[in-house]
Amino acid sequence: MTKIDESYFDKIMTAIILIVLIVFSFLLLRPILLSILFGLLLAFIFDPLYDWLSKKIKSKNLSASIMLVFLLLMIILPVWFLTPILIEQSFKIFQSTLQIDFVTPLKNLFPTFFASEQFTTQISSVVSSFTIKTANSITNSFTNVLLNLPAISLHILVVLFTFFFALRDRDKLADYIKSLLPFPKDIENKLFRYSSEITKSVIYGAVLIGILQGFVAGAGFFIFSVPNALFLTLLAVVAGVLPVIGTAIIWVPVFIFMLIAGNNPGAWGVFAFGMASSWIDNILRPLFISKMTKIHSGIVLISMIGGAFFFGVLGFVIGPLVVAYLLIILELYRKKPMPGLVMK
């Protein structure tokens, strides 16, 4: 075998071994991949605060440790204080739902359809079955959380470890990623700068707009004296952060509940605030994110939905980031903007 053949053989074997190791590493990390990504996202969100703190303390380890304790307090304190309230109010809502007569208002709205007593009985049975199944589903969700507590704890541990080391070693991580990129120095700097801007706009835009629309819906709950308004507002905030789902999943059932209960002014007031909240979600979120990322709003929405199917809940944030990074690399590769997709 000649030296050229030996060199070619060595390159082929090296490539095969590298591919095999990459595949096995992916399979190894796949169960905790979302936890790692979530830890990186949290590190990016808290990076400005860490940067300010590290300038004051002059110690990366101590600064990252303080940020880790701060994150733990942000997780533990709300869970510790709000969990009993959430459980109590959720059971109250469930009990109130079981006592509601859904059929009578429907008979008043559609007397022709409910002329038959047999049809009325069937509808009543369907509504009752739906309510019981929904309650059982919620109960099973709480049970699954308790049963999966060890696995959830391990995922949280991965998130915290990733958060700590991503903050402390961010410069080393960035240098290592740059060393792997097959681009010139100026292209690397542009890629990192654009990536940072896009990540900020997607994360901060999604979170801030979601919280805003959740509070708008919650304001309607408090103003019109909806029972368990605090619990419902917290749910609206969480739902608001998740695009496509939105706060409608919270305020629409409340609107129907108040209509059935006979509180028409309160119901229509909740409806007005809910529509305002949904307007914020449907109009401002795509416009804000697309404006900041310079990517067409249609691509943003499609990437959110695709990301949700692939990554789950985190896909609402990861999806637009993946597509945005792809478009950035294509733009840098072409050395000119893509009209209609990436807007200058």
Side-chain angles (χ1 to χ4, degrees), residues 10-54:
D10 291 342
K11 290 180 179 179
I12 293 295
M13 290 303 299
T14 302
I16 292 174
I17 293 172
L18 181 62
I19 292 172
V20 170
L21 290 176
I22 290 174
V23 171
F24 275 106
S25 298
F26 173 77
L27 295 175
L28 180 69
L29 297 176
R30 185 178 180 183
I32 58 172
L33 185 60
L34 287 181
S35 300
I36 295 173
L37 291 175
F38 189 52
L40 292 174
L41 289 175
L42 286 175
F44 187 88
I45 292 172
F46 286 93
D47 183 70
L49 183 58
Y50 167 80
D51 191 47
W52 174 83
L53 190 63
S54 61

Side-chain angles (χ1 to χ4, degrees), residues 235-249:
L235 289 181
V237 169
V238 173
V241 174
L242 305 177
V244 181
I245 295 177
T247 56
I249 198 173

Side-chain angles (χ1 to χ4, degrees), residues 6-194:
E6 289 179 359
S7 176
Y8 181 75
F9 178 78
D10 291 342
K11 290 180 179 179
I12 293 295
M13 290 303 299
T14 302
I16 292 174
I17 293 172
L18 181 62
I19 292 172
V20 170
L21 290 176
I22 290 174
V23 171
F24 275 106
S25 298
F26 173 77
L27 295 175
L28 180 69
L29 297 176
R30 185 178 180 183
I32 58 172
L33 185 60
L34 287 181
S35 300
I36 295 173
L37 291 175
F38 189 52
L40 292 174
L41 289 175
L42 286 175
F44 187 88
I45 292 172
F46 286 93
D47 183 70
L49 183 58
Y50 167 80
D51 191 47
W52 174 83
L53 190 63
S54 61
K55 290 178 181 178
K56 299 290 183 181
I57 297 179
K58 306 296 183 182
S59 172
K60 291 184 177 181
N61 277 317
L62 183 57
S63 300
S65 300
I66 292 174
M67 293 304 304
L68 183 62
V69 172
F70 179 68
L71 179 63
L72 280 171
L73 291 177
M74 288 186 64
I75 296 173
I76 293 174
L77 290 181
V79 170
W80 181 267
F81 289 105
L82 295 180
T83 297
I85 299 175
L86 296 178
I87 293 175
E88 179 186 359
Q89 295 197 358
S90 62
F91 276 111
K92 285 182 179 179
I93 292 174
F94 169 62
Q95 291 173 352
S96 301
T97 304
L98 291 178
Q99 297 172 1
I100 297 174
D101 180 13
F102 292 96
V103 177
T104 301
L106 291 175
K107 289 175 67 176
N108 295 331
L109 289 173
F110 309 102
T112 305
F113 291 100
F114 289 88
S116 171
E117 189 67 30
Q118 182 179 0
F119 180 76
T120 303
T121 304
Q122 291 176 349
I123 292 297
S124 178
S125 176
V126 168
V127 172
S128 176
S129 176
F130 174 77
T131 304
I132 293 173
K133 286 183 179 179
T134 302
N136 289 336
S137 177
I138 295 173
T139 304
N140 290 334
S141 298
F142 280 113
T143 305
N144 290 333
V145 169
L146 294 176
L147 292 176
N148 295 324
L149 197 58
I152 293 173
S153 300
L154 289 176
H155 281 287
I156 293 175
L157 190 63
V158 171
V159 170
L160 296 177
F161 270 109
T162 304
F163 174 79
F164 176 83
F165 289 111
L167 281 179
R168 192 194 68 176
D169 302 325
R170 58 180 184 176
D171 295 332
K172 294 180 181 179
L173 180 62
D175 291 337
Y176 180 73
I177 294 174
K178 288 181 180 179
S179 68
L180 297 176
L181 295 176
F183 301 122
K185 196 70 175 179
D186 59 331
I187 299 296
E188 288 180 1
N189 294 332
K190 286 183 181 179
L191 180 61
F192 268 72
R193 186 174 71 252
Y194 292 164

